[in-house]
Amino acid sequence: MAKRRTRGRAKKDKVEDPKEVDRGEEDKEERVEGPRSQDEELAILAERIRSESGKDALVKALGKLAEMLEVAPQAKMSVRSAYLPCALALMEPGVFRHKDSEVKLLLSTCLAHVMRLYAGVPDHPYNDSRISEVFGRFLWTFRLLDDAGGTSYPRALHVLEIVSRIKCCVLLLDFESQELTLDLMQVLFDSVNSENHANVAPLALDVLCDIVRACEGDIHQDMLDVILLAMVEGKKVGQHTFELALGVLRRCELELMGPVQAFLCSTIETGPVQNSELHHHYHDLILVLYEKCPAMLGNVLPALEVELSVDDEDKRASAVVLLGKIFGLGEGDAVSEFPTLFGSFLDRFHDKRASIRQSMVDCAKSIAFASEEGREEIVSALEERLLDPEDKVRSSAVSALCDIICATPGEVSKTTMLQAATRLRDRRVLVRKEAMNKLAGVFCKLSTMEEEVFEKVVWIPSKILPLVFDEHIGLQIVENLLQKKLVSPKVQPEVVVEIWSKAYAHCEATATRALHDILQSKAALQTLFRECIKKRDELKAAAKESKNSLEAEMRGMMQAMSHFFPDKENALQHLTSIHALKDGHIMRGLETLARNDAVPEATSRAEMDVLKRIGSQSPLYEFAKVLCARLTCAPFRKEHVAVLLDTIGDILENSAAPLADPYASLLLCLSKAFPALVSTSLPQLERILKTSERCHDVMVESMLRIIVCGGSNFQSDPTDQSKLQVLLSRICRTGTRQQAKYAVRALNALSGGESKDVIASLGVAMHNALKATNTSMIRKKAALVAFANLCQYSPDGFESYLPAVLDVVGNILHNKGNSAEAISLKIEATKFLARICLPTDTKDLQKAPPQEVSWKLADALATLTSLVEVDADGTPREASAEVRLAAAKALLRIVRWKNAKIPTEAYRLIAYIALDPVADVRHGFAKKLFKGLRLFGLSTKFAAVFAMFAVDVEPEFVNYAKTCLKSYIQSRRQSIQRAALAGKKLTVTSHPEFILPFLLHVLAHHPDFPDRTVQHSDEKGDAIADAIMPFQTILSFAIGSLLSTPSDGLEPGSSLPVVLSILRMLKAVEDLQSQKVSHAVWTMADIALEIAKDIALKRHWDITRKFPGSVPMPNIFKPREEKRDPFASPATRRPSVEGSFLPEQLLPFSPGWKGFFSTTPSKRTKPVPASGNTPPANTDATLHHSTPSESLTKKARPSGAASLAARDNILTDVQQASEEKDIGSGGFTTLSERAIGGKGTRQSKRINSQSEGKENENSMPRRSRRRVCR
């Protein structure tokens, strides 16, 4: 082993470098000869540096030289002479251009010390060329500074420190080429980063400032570009580079101010400076300078005013963005410092380019926050932009305004807030949603502030809530806003009650209805969900044979719940999937959310548990979040109801009753939707009733309505309920009309109809009050209301009292008094007749009076509508008009329940109300009729009544009637399309065109229609045309609406075959009740056919198309027995011409023909008649008939029904009253007079040509008219 080690050493010795051996020998010689002097060492070291080519030896030599130079003093001449050989050796090509990085780094260190030793002395060892090369080596070294964790970083930092200390970089300015200087500056800017800025930045700042100051104001544009670009780009990329450039600007402010201002002003005024890279960034530079060194800009900012008005839109836009940022900086000093510039800036709010206006709106908020002086002008400009034609600008404007309102609520007026709220009705959904969310944020933030601020925003919910009816926003979005954004869930119940009570007081009818819909929708969804969970539990325990039915019921419930979500199909799928989950905790958690009495903590835990169990990765997660939000009873819970009741009680005890009204209104709204919320509040309600009974009628009424809503949900002792029943009975006896009504309903709600003794005694008291002669009008009205409600809830118990009460009602109705109280009592009597005909609810139809009783009362009301009292001068009395309107509305209320079997004569009287001489009657009736069609589903025949308004003297109301009719037509067609998609088969009776048989029936029975004798006389054709003109106007109105109303998915003219088929079928039937008017039906059918064909020909529709189905007729007609007219006298009887029943004067090419049937009667042109345009009377269409209804004259009366006999007396009384009074001719305005404007003005004045001493040329000859009253 010893031999092997010796042999290995021998081999190693053979490969050793000879130079290493020589160096070892030299070291030995040095140790033998002793230490040398410094000059000798430097000389030997210089020689080694020149001669060494190996890296390690050179590194060792340079390292030793660097150590010696580190401690070498600068001031002594001898020292500089001693180091001269080494300085020259460093510039040897083999050393200076060595490729090894360690050698190069040591070389830079040595060169830096050499530059230190010879700094400021004339005998510098390097000439300009050599110095340039030295700085090139420094440049390479400074690039190593960016890696603070590298091994080269300490030596590079040391070199920078030496260069910074001796300020040698100023020598670079003596060279002709500036590239090295600019490169050095750029490298220093780039070398600073987050890791080394603490050490490098101060040294680099010194070097850069030395270079700038050495220029003595003669700053070249390239050098300026390096500094300023470092600032601009450094702010975007590296903050430390930006800070370094900023330090240079601040230290050298005097040297750089002039060049910077000259560059910026030149760029603004004349365009980009040649060879400068800054012209793309000069706006960014101005912004940075204004923010950090505002004094350096001088007069640069005023020069920007030029750019605000240049034709270049891009330059204007850039200037707007820049100035918007400048005016929004700091404390807004720029607004006060440059008022002219600010004024020019504000003008850009009206720029023709939308993007510039958008930029102005975007920066307006920051300016308003920063500057109090400019805030008012900014707010005013934003108000104008709320009406900008660009939707994005409007959206941004409302957003900016709301943010300003939140930040400075005391300085923004309520008018400004109302202006912002106008965008809730914007035509764009984007703007409406933005306004809704922003205004909700304003209300949420400011509603908890002081009273003065809250008064400015208390109206906001009243503007947001109606968005429930916006099809693009809808109930779910507004509901979510209501729960989470309008009022923070963290606010205390007392504060929530205070906020919502005052906000609800400011809500108009639409807003209150919207809130009611939100709460009702939530309550209905909760109820459905709880029932569905019960069915789910029943299904688990059910037997196999009953599972199918339970599953079908569950599917129906889930189908119903899906309608509470925007996407019904997806909602149904998700609901089905959730109910199919096997985790019972999920369903129990959802059930907790659906409970009204759950505390907030329990609902929060339940919601978190449900969502956690479903999992965020589940496809059901997002729907589960929506479902949880919709099931939660927020923002109102039982604690809020308790606070409301306590607050109301405290206010009433302090004798400030009106202040409690907002709280009572809100409580009533909540109790309607969530009756369970007041289940434990009966003692508090009794306390409030007792306190307010004698001093505040409105409060009593509100509390009674709340008790009615609570009903069976109340949880209290029987003793408390009995006390409350006594109190309710007293209120019913002594209270107002409304109080009496709701007191009876409250009694029935509390007892569930079981307190017969209390109700009986109350009925006796009401009966006695009505019979007593000394009872005041107010008490009689209250007694009528109370007795009607008692009859509704307990008809059997009050049958014995009813005859006497009906006698009283008859006396009231034919009383000649026309005072306000008498008229009010008559109106109440008409309502009484309607109430006792109807049940309290659709579920209580068995409580309704017999069919014969109801129709006798309906006949009486219909007769009332035909009575027109006139003064001596023929003017209809307004007082009787109010009674007629009330009777008409009462009749519609009865019809709402029993429209399938309404007597034909009553139906005609309803239609003739559209021709009432008093405008208020016509208008009020039309609105009630449209409401009945839209909300309560009145029969199609009542839509025909709108056509009667075509001859109204007020054009605005004619347009309203046309809008109502077209709306009904469109909704019916949509229903037909939905039914067709569902696979349901509907007959033509479901089509809106089925109004035509009823319309022709009503018109044919009108006394103004020319009879057969007049039609076949030798009178001139113009007289016949004038007589038929009003009827033609009504028919044009109806047919034009049917044919011109657009419908989705239907081509124009698609309803023409149905119209033609119905009209032709009408010529094949006769009137059921009066055969004498059948000819009038046929005549108007021909008129309507001509009108329809005229419309079709003008629009190039095919009139030969046939309706494929059968066309049944309503039971007011019967099949026609013969073609010829059997009712005309032999003198006037004639066969029809080609099946036409038109008067001879109006037949084509007859002397009276003047294009009468054109849809524009004022332009009577002679059209070319189409051959065969009127089919024969016998048509091939199948005729279907219902069983004819019983005649109105039939006196069917149940034996032994005393109450029915009393009801018949009502009709007799009304007939007697009509004979005793001065009744206007016919009971309604004639169609001819209505067409020429003879009657029906709002002031109800009749034009009488004869009284003026001359005859109206346009009016038809006066003739006797029949009374409509029976």
Side-chain angles (χ1 to χ4, degrees):
M1 292 295 293
K3 291 181 179 180
R4 289 178 185 174
R5 283 197 292 268
T6 303
R7 193 179 299 119
R9 279 197 302 271
K11 292 181 180 179
K12 186 176 181 180
D13 292 341
K14 290 180 180 180
V15 297
E16 286 182 352
D17 190 351
K19 292 183 178 180
E20 296 294 333
V21 177
D22 295 341
R23 186 176 297 110
E25 293 177 352
E26 289 176 1
D27 292 340
K28 291 179 182 178
E29 290 177 359
E30 289 179 3
R31 286 194 296 270
V32 172
E33 295 177 359
R36 299 189 183 96
S37 63
Q38 186 178 15
D39 293 344
E40 292 175 348
E41 288 185 6
L42 289 172
I44 296 171
L45 193 56
E47 186 62 29
R48 287 183 181 177
I49 292 172
R50 288 192 186 94
S51 60
E52 294 291 352
S53 60
K55 169 196 167 184
D56 295 338
L58 189 56
V59 166
K60 186 174 181 179
L62 291 174
K64 187 172 184 180
L65 177 60
E67 292 175 359
M68 297 178 69
L69 288 170
E70 182 73 28
V71 297
Q74 181 182 0
K76 294 182 179 181
M77 178 71 70
S78 59
V79 174
R80 292 197 294 272
S81 300
Y83 281 96
L84 182 59
C86 292
L88 297 175
L90 294 174
M91 300 303 295
E92 289 292 329
V95 179
F96 192 82
R97 291 178 174 80
H98 203 285
K99 296 182 179 181
D100 185 73
S101 59
E102 189 175 0
V103 172
K104 291 162 72 175
L105 189 59
L106 287 169
L107 178 63
S108 296
T109 306
C110 295
L111 288 173
H113 283 294
V114 170
M115 295 296 292
R116 177 180 62 82
L117 288 177
Y118 292 94
V121 297
D123 54 343
H124 201 285
Y126 305 143
N127 56 19
D128 290 348
S129 176
R130 291 290 179 90
I131 290 176
S132 178
E133 293 178 353
V134 169
F135 278 104
R137 181 59 62 197
F138 290 162
L139 192 64
W140 176 86
T141 305
F142 293 158
R143 288 194 176 99
L144 302 175
L145 291 170
D146 59 352
D147 185 10
T151 57
S152 304
Y153 173 76
R155 286 195 178 276
L157 181 63
H158 184 57
V159 172
L160 178 60
E161 184 181 359
I162 297 170
V163 172
S164 171
R165 189 168 65 247
I166 63 177
K167 305 181 186 299
C168 64
C169 289
V170 298
L171 298 174
L172 293 171
L173 301 177
D174 296 335
F175 305 147
E176 294 181 0
S177 176
Q178 296 250 349
E179 294 183 4
L180 188 59
T181 306
L182 299 178
D183 289 343
L184 179 63
M185 295 177 70
Q186 188 64 55
V187 168
L188 289 177
F189 280 122
D190 294 341
S191 64
V192 184
N193 55 44
S194 58
E195 297 178 354
N196 64 12
H197 71 280
N199 298 321
V200 176
L203 301 175
L205 180 61
D206 292 339
V207 173
L208 292 169
C209 290
D210 290 340
I211 295 173
V212 172
R213 287 169 182 163
C215 293
E216 297 179 353
D218 186 16
I219 308 294
H220 194 270
Q221 184 61 43
D222 293 337
M223 183 180 294
L224 196 63
D225 286 357
V226 172
I227 299 172
L228 298 181
L229 278 173
M231 171 176 283
V232 174
E233 295 179 353
K235 185 157 188 176
K236 300 177 182 178
V237 180
Q239 182 66 23
H240 300 291
T241 302
F242 166 76
E243 291 176 357
L244 178 59
L246 181 61
V248 174
L249 285 173
R250 286 175 174 172
R251 281 197 189 181
C252 305
E253 184 175 340
L254 296 177
E255 291 82 0
L256 293 174
M257 182 181 297
V260 169
Q261 291 182 6
F263 162 73
L264 293 175
C265 290
S266 175
T267 304
I268 293 170
E269 295 171 0
T270 63
V273 176
Q274 188 176 7
N275 299 326
S276 175
E277 299 180 11
L278 276 173
H279 69 274
H280 296 298
H281 309 282
Y282 75 98
H283 278 174
D284 296 334
L285 177 61
I286 292 173
L287 177 62
V288 173
L289 290 176
Y290 181 79
E291 185 178 2
K292 302 298 180 180
C293 303
M296 185 168 284
L297 289 177
N299 60 348
V300 173
L301 286 183
L304 286 171
E305 189 173 352
V306 178
E307 292 191 350
L308 291 173
S309 56
V310 295
D311 293 335
D312 189 347
E313 293 184 350
D314 293 335
K315 185 172 285 188
R316 284 204 318 274
S318 182
V320 162
V321 173
L322 169 63
L323 289 174
K325 293 177 180 178
I326 288 175
F327 288 129
L329 286 176
E331 299 298 328
D333 297 334
V335 174
S336 57
E337 188 176 352
F338 306 103
T340 305
L341 179 62
F342 185 64
S344 301
F345 171 75
L346 291 177
D347 291 341
R348 291 305 95 206
F349 273 108
H350 303 91
D351 197 282
K352 63 182 180 181
R353 186 174 176 182
S355 60
I356 295 178
R357 300 196 303 272
Q358 177 70 46
S359 299
M360 290 294 297
V361 172
D362 291 340
C363 63
K365 181 172 64 174
S366 59
I367 298 174
F369 290 166
S371 173
E372 294 183 4
E373 296 183 11
R375 185 176 300 149
E376 184 177 352
E377 295 175 84
I378 288 291
V379 170
S380 177
L382 286 175
E383 287 185 35
E384 295 179 3
R385 288 307 94 210
L386 290 172
L387 302 176
D388 193 275
E390 191 69 24
D391 53 340
K392 291 184 179 179
V393 178
R394 297 195 304 274
S395 177
S396 300
V398 72
S399 176
L401 264 180
C402 290
D403 289 339
I404 294 172
I405 291 169
C406 287
T408 57
E411 300 180 21
V412 181
S413 65
K414 183 179 179 179
T415 305
T416 300
M417 300 181 187
L418 289 170
Q419 286 293 325
T422 58
R423 292 305 93 207
L424 291 170
R425 301 189 301 274
D426 196 276
R427 65 178 183 271
R428 294 290 185 184
V429 182
L430 171 70
V431 182
R432 297 200 297 272
K433 286 186 176 180
E434 182 69 18
M436 177 186 68
N437 289 312
K438 284 294 182 178
L439 285 171
V442 171
F443 183 80
C444 183
K445 183 173 182 180
L446 304 188
S447 59
T448 54
M449 292 187 176
E450 57 270 16
E451 186 70 20
E452 183 180 356
V453 175
F454 179 55
E455 286 299 323
K456 291 184 179 181
V457 299
V458 68
W459 51 268
I460 288 180
S462 68
K463 303 294 184 182
I464 292 178
L465 287 172
L467 292 176
V468 166
F469 309 113
D470 189 326
E471 60 179 349
H472 298 289
I473 295 177
L475 185 143
Q476 183 174 329
I477 295 177
V478 180
E479 180 186 333
N480 184 58
L481 206 71
L482 179 69
Q483 291 184 183
K484 298 181 179 179
K485 294 185 179 180
L486 278 175
V487 179
S488 174
K490 299 179 181 179
V491 178
Q492 295 297 320
E494 294 79 7
V495 181
V496 173
V497 166
E498 186 74 18
I499 291 172
W500 272 109
S501 299
K502 294 182 178 180
Y504 189 79
H506 284 75
C507 289
E508 298 177 353
T510 306
T512 54
R513 184 161 62 91
L515 180 60
H516 182 263
D517 287 354
I518 291 173
L519 299 179
Q520 287 285 0
S521 172
K522 184 181 285 293
L525 180 61
Q526 289 178 342
T527 303
L528 274 172
F529 199 86
R530 290 196 298 267
E531 291 178 357
C532 195
I533 290 177
K534 290 180 181 178
K535 291 293 179 186
R536 184 173 182 266
D537 295 338
E538 292 177 10
L539 184 62
K540 290 181 179 179
K544 290 184 178 181
E545 56 272 10
S546 59
K547 281 190 176 182
N548 291 335
S549 61
L550 290 174
E551 288 176 353
E553 290 180 16
M554 279 192 63
R555 283 194 299 270
M557 290 179 181
M558 286 187 282
Q559 182 77 33
M561 283 191 288
S562 67
H563 287 78
F564 291 93
F565 300 90
D567 192 343
K568 299 175 184 177
E569 294 182 1
N570 286 338
L572 180 59
Q573 293 177 3
H574 292 319
L575 285 169
T576 305
S577 300
I578 288 176
H579 278 273
L581 295 175
K582 295 182 179 180
D583 191 347
H585 292 86
I586 294 177
M587 301 309 297
R588 296 299 165 226
L590 292 173
E591 184 181 15
T592 302
L593 294 174
R595 288 169 49 195
N596 295 328
D597 55 350
V599 296
E601 294 78 9
T603 56
S604 298
R605 288 195 303 269
E607 182 176 0
M608 292 175 60
D609 183 62
V610 168
L611 296 178
K612 182 179 179 181
R613 290 179 179 275
I614 290 178
S616 59
Q617 303 300 320
S618 172
L620 299 175
Y621 185 77
E622 291 300 325
F623 179 79
K625 288 174 63 176
V626 175
L627 180 62
C628 289
R630 295 228 59 197
L631 288 175
T632 306
C633 195
F636 304 110
R637 297 181 296 272
K638 273 195 173 183
E639 56 264 32
H640 297 112
V641 171
V643 173
L644 277 169
L645 289 168
D646 291 340
T647 305
I648 293 171
D650 295 340
I651 292 174
L652 291 175
E653 288 179 355
N654 294 328
S655 301
L659 298 178
D661 289 344
Y663 302 92
S665 299
L666 178 61
L667 181 59
L668 178 59
C669 180
L670 296 179
S671 60
K672 286 180 180 178
F674 303 105
L677 293 179
V678 295
S679 59
T680 58
S681 306
L682 206 57
Q684 293 170 293
L685 292 170
E686 183 182 359
R687 168 200 170 198
I688 295 172
L689 279 174
K690 289 180 179 179
T691 307
S692 59
E693 183 181 0
R694 298 183 181 277
C695 63
H696 195 25
D697 292 341
V698 177
M699 182 60 64
V700 173
E701 179 186 333
S702 298
M703 295 301 108
L704 291 173
R705 294 176 69 182
I706 291 169
I707 294 174
V708 173
C709 293
S712 59
N713 290 282
F714 285 112
Q715 303 170 3
S716 60
D717 296 334
T719 306
D720 294 336
Q721 286 202 9
S722 61
K723 291 180 180 179
L724 186 58
Q725 288 175 356
V726 174
L727 178 59
L728 293 175
S729 299
R730 184 170 73 243
I731 293 174
C732 186
R733 291 185 179 95
T734 60
T736 63
R737 169 185 173 278
Q738 289 293 96
Q739 291 176 3
K741 177 174 72 173
Y742 289 115
V744 172
R745 294 183 180 181
L747 278 170
N748 185 75
L750 280 176
S751 62
E754 296 178 358
S755 300
K756 295 183 179 179
D757 296 339
V758 177
I759 293 177
S761 62
L762 191 59
V764 173
M766 296 300 102
H767 173 257
N768 295 335
L770 287 171
K771 290 181 64 177
T773 57
N774 58 348
T775 306
S776 65
M777 290 283 191
I778 296 176
R779 288 301 311 139
K780 278 189 177 182
K781 287 195 293 184
L784 279 173
V785 173
F787 197 86
N789 280 274
L790 288 170
C791 288
Q792 283 182 306
Y793 289 115
S794 181
D796 298 335
F798 296 95
E799 187 174 356
S800 59
Y801 300 103
L802 196 55
V805 174
L806 290 174
D807 288 338
V808 175
V809 172
N811 293 332
I812 292 173
L813 288 175
H814 75 262
N815 184 11
K816 295 183 178 181
N818 286 325
S819 64
E821 291 183 350
I823 295 300
S824 176
L825 189 58
K826 288 181 181 180
I827 293 172
E828 199 60 53
T830 61
K831 294 180 180 179
F832 172 83
L833 293 178
R835 286 193 186 101
I836 62 176
C837 288
L838 301 175
T840 56
D841 198 319
T842 54
K843 299 177 182 178
D844 298 331
L845 289 175
Q846 67 276 8
K847 295 184 180 180
Q851 185 76 18
E852 298 84 357
V853 175
S854 298
W855 291 134
K856 286 298 179 182
L857 294 177
D859 287 343
L861 288 172
T863 306
L864 279 173
T865 61
S866 66
L867 301 180
V868 180
E869 298 178 5
V870 296
D871 295 328
D873 59 352
T875 304
R877 293 178 182 175
E878 295 286 348
S880 63
E882 294 180 16
V883 179
R884 286 200 309 281
L885 179 59
K889 290 182 177 180
L891 193 56
L892 280 180
R893 188 176 179 185
I894 295 176
V895 167
R896 233 168 62 192
W897 297 102
K898 303 174 181 294
N899 57 16
K901 299 180 180 179
I902 183 172
T904 307
E905 186 174 344
Y907 168 68
R908 290 198 301 270
L909 290 174
I910 291 175
Y912 293 149
I913 298 171
L915 306 175
D916 194 274
V918 179
D920 288 338
V921 175
R922 302 195 301 272
H923 296 184
F925 172 73
K927 293 177 181 178
K928 191 75 173 179
L929 179 62
F930 182 63
K931 182 179 179 181
L933 287 167
R934 182 170 56 91
L935 297 181
F936 302 109
L938 287 180
S939 174
T940 304
K941 60 187 176 185
F942 291 99
V945 179
F946 280 114
M948 304 293 288
F949 291 99
V951 293
D952 199 285
V953 294
E954 298 185 17
E956 293 182 0
F957 196 70
V958 175
N959 293 333
Y960 171 76
K962 181 173 288 188
T963 302
C964 293
L965 181 56
K966 287 189 173 183
S967 174
Y968 175 78
I969 292 170
Q970 198 167 25
S971 65
R972 287 301 307 157
R973 287 176 178 166
Q974 290 173 355
S975 300
I976 292 171
Q977 290 177 357
R978 288 194 296 268
L981 292 175
K984 298 180 181 179
K985 294 183 179 180
L986 300 178
T987 63
V988 72
T989 58
S990 302
H991 290 246
E993 289 78 9
F994 204 63
I995 66 173
L996 293 174
F998 298 99
L999 179 61
L1000 267 64
H1001 169 81
V1002 171
L1003 294 177
H1005 280 267
H1006 197 281
D1008 277 359
F1009 192 83
D1011 58 24
R1012 290 293 308 276
T1013 304
V1014 174
Q1015 291 187 26
H1016 298 305
S1017 68
D1018 295 332
E1019 293 185 20
K1020 295 181 179 180
D1022 284 344
I1024 297 297
D1026 290 339
I1028 296 181
M1029 176 65 71
F1031 299 90
Q1032 182 259 347
T1033 302
I1034 294 174
L1035 291 172
S1036 297
F1037 184 93
I1039 295 174
S1041 299
L1042 288 169
L1043 296 180
S1044 63
T1045 302
S1047 300
D1048 296 337
L1050 297 177
E1051 61 180 5
S1054 59
S1055 60
L1056 180 63
V1058 187
V1059 172
L1060 296 178
S1061 297
I1062 291 175
L1063 293 175
R1064 288 165 181 160
M1065 183 60 68
L1066 283 168
K1067 297 177 63 177
V1069 296
E1070 295 178 354
D1071 189 82
L1072 181 66
Q1073 291 183 335
S1074 175
Q1075 294 180 345
K1076 294 182 180 180
V1077 299
S1078 296
H1079 191 278
V1081 174
W1082 303 333
T1083 301
M1084 280 186 289
D1086 279 329
I1087 294 174
L1089 281 168
E1090 296 295 337
I1091 293 171
K1093 291 175 182 178
D1094 181 71
I1095 295 174
L1097 291 174
K1098 286 182 178 179
R1099 302 186 183 184
H1100 306 288
W1101 293 341
D1102 185 8
I1103 62 174
T1104 62
R1105 292 172 56 188
K1106 301 291 184 180
F1107 181 68
S1110 60
V1111 183
M1113 286 288 107
N1115 55 11
I1116 55 178
F1117 297 107
K1118 65 180 180 179
R1120 185 178 173 189
E1121 297 178 358
E1122 58 177 303
K1123 297 181 181 178
R1124 296 183 62 191
D1125 186 359
F1127 307 109
S1129 63
T1132 60
R1133 180 180 298 167
R1134 63 173 177 82
S1136 59
V1137 180
E1138 295 182 356
S1140 174
F1141 293 91
L1142 295 173
E1144 291 179 352
Q1145 296 86 345
L1146 300 183
L1147 291 176
F1149 303 111
S1150 66
W1153 173 264
K1154 293 183 180 180
F1156 179 75
F1157 302 112
S1158 173
T1159 53
T1160 54
S1162 60
K1163 299 180 181 179
R1164 294 186 179 180
T1165 58
K1166 185 175 181 180
V1168 178
S1171 60
N1173 56 352
T1174 305
N1178 288 343
T1179 177
D1180 295 333
T1182 306
L1183 185 64
H1184 295 273
H1185 289 277
S1186 303
T1187 303
S1189 60
E1190 294 184 359
S1191 173
L1192 282 173
T1193 58
K1194 185 177 180 180
K1195 303 297 182 180
R1197 182 175 303 167
S1199 59
S1203 60
L1204 180 55
R1207 287 176 171 87
D1208 288 339
N1209 292 334
I1210 294 293
L1211 183 59
T1212 304
D1213 292 337
V1214 175
Q1215 290 173 343
Q1216 292 174 356
S1218 66
E1219 294 172 358
E1220 294 173 0
K1221 295 182 179 180
D1222 183 14
I1223 300 176
S1225 58
F1228 49 82
T1229 309
T1230 60
L1231 287 171
S1232 56
E1233 288 179 339
R1234 179 62 49 76
I1236 64 173
K1239 285 184 182 180
T1241 60
R1242 187 168 292 278
Q1243 291 79 16
S1244 306
K1245 293 184 178 179
R1246 180 187 302 173
I1247 299 175
N1248 193 337
S1249 303
Q1250 296 177 358
S1251 64
E1252 295 176 0
K1254 59 181 180 179
E1255 186 175 352
N1256 192 336
E1257 296 179 357
N1258 296 325
S1259 63
M1260 61 174 286
R1262 304 284 294 180
R1263 57 186 178 83
S1264 61
R1265 281 167 284 179
R1266 296 169 293 178
R1267 289 184 179 181
V1268 178
C1269 62
R1270 297 178 58 177

